[in-house]
Amino acid sequence: MHKAPPEPEYCNDSDDASLFREAIGANRGKVRELPPASPPPALPKPKPSAKMARLDEDAAREEFRHVVIAALESGDVLSYRREEVSPMLLKRLARGEYAAQEELDLHGLPARTAETLLREFLRDCRTHGLGCVRIVHGKGRNSEERLPVLKNLVDRVLRHRADVIAFHSPPAAQGGAGAVLVLLERR
């Protein structure tokens, strides 16, 4: 028959502390207390910055992006080609000889929304290897500014994209001055 181990005796905190000191040799002078540590150095203070001025500049820059700089009128034709692109290709595009593989209709949308959709649309077209697309921007006759805001926005965005090799307003039957045919660089 086995005997159960003896029940541990209750120790108070002072007994535990003395047992610990004895175990590490504190009572025999083998352990020395360290001097109190100095507090860690304070973190350097951040350099002052003109946060409101920076926010104002950012807001002005964002607003400037949407300002119509070279104002196209509602009846103006959009036209652009890279230097390495043949003028004949632009003429064929203007005559509507290229079939649009996809279309994006932006007219009636706020400028910021239209710009976001346009960039996403062009990125998707590029990803899927499309060569020619049509973007409907409208003629801008109902805009508050009496300028075709979306037409100017589309013109600006397309001119700054590396994957756009040419664009031109199509014949009236394909959208005329309210749309643009865009030729994209193939992957």
Side-chain angles (χ1 to χ4, degrees):
M1 206 191 238
H2 291 280
K3 273 188 167 181
E7 292 285 322
E9 293 179 24
Y10 174 76
C11 298
N12 64 26
D13 289 339
S14 64
D15 287 345
D16 286 343
S18 63
L19 283 173
F20 174 73
R21 282 190 201 90
E22 187 177 315
I24 62 170
N27 295 339
R28 292 174 282 199
K30 294 180 183 174
V31 176
R32 64 180 170 81
E33 189 175 328
L34 293 175
S38 59
L43 294 174
K45 292 182 180 180
K47 293 181 180 178
S49 69
K51 184 176 181 181
M52 290 309 293
R54 188 174 59 248
L55 291 174
D56 287 345
E57 286 176 10
D58 291 345
R61 195 174 298 114
E62 181 64 23
E63 189 175 320
F64 183 72
R65 286 183 59 222
H66 298 284
V67 171
V68 177
I69 295 171
L72 294 165
E73 298 294 326
S74 64
D76 290 347
V77 170
L78 293 182
S79 181
Y80 165 84
R81 71 175 173 86
R82 285 191 199 165
E83 286 184 23
E84 68 269 13
V85 174
S86 148
M88 191 60 198
L89 182 135
L90 193 62
K91 286 180 184 178
R92 291 179 60 207
L93 190 60
R95 289 192 300 254
E97 294 180 16
Y98 289 91
Q101 297 167 293
E102 270 302 327
E103 181 176 285
L104 174 66
D105 189 348
L106 298 174
H107 77 286
L109 295 175
R112 289 176 197 242
T113 304
E115 183 175 2
T116 301
L117 288 173
L118 176 59
R119 290 182 188 282
E120 289 173 3
F121 174 73
L122 293 171
R123 185 174 43 250
D124 288 346
C125 290
R126 170 94 177 175
T127 301
H128 292 93
L130 301 181
C132 182
V133 296
R134 180 181 12 261
I135 299 166
V136 179
H137 46 71
K139 295 184 180 178
R141 292 186 177 139
N142 297 324
S143 70
E144 292 175 18
E145 296 86 0
R146 289 295 184 219
L147 289 172
V149 175
L150 295 180
K151 182 176 196 170
N152 282 283
L153 176 116
V154 168
D155 182 65
R156 179 180 51 81
V157 169
L158 293 178
R159 286 178 188 274
H160 290 98
R161 289 192 59 100
D163 55 350
V164 173
I165 59 173
F167 61 84
H168 201 288
S169 297
Q174 295 178 15
V180 64
L181 287 174
V182 182
L183 288 181
L184 299 169
E185 194 171 61
R186 297 257 178 148
R187 283 181 142 196

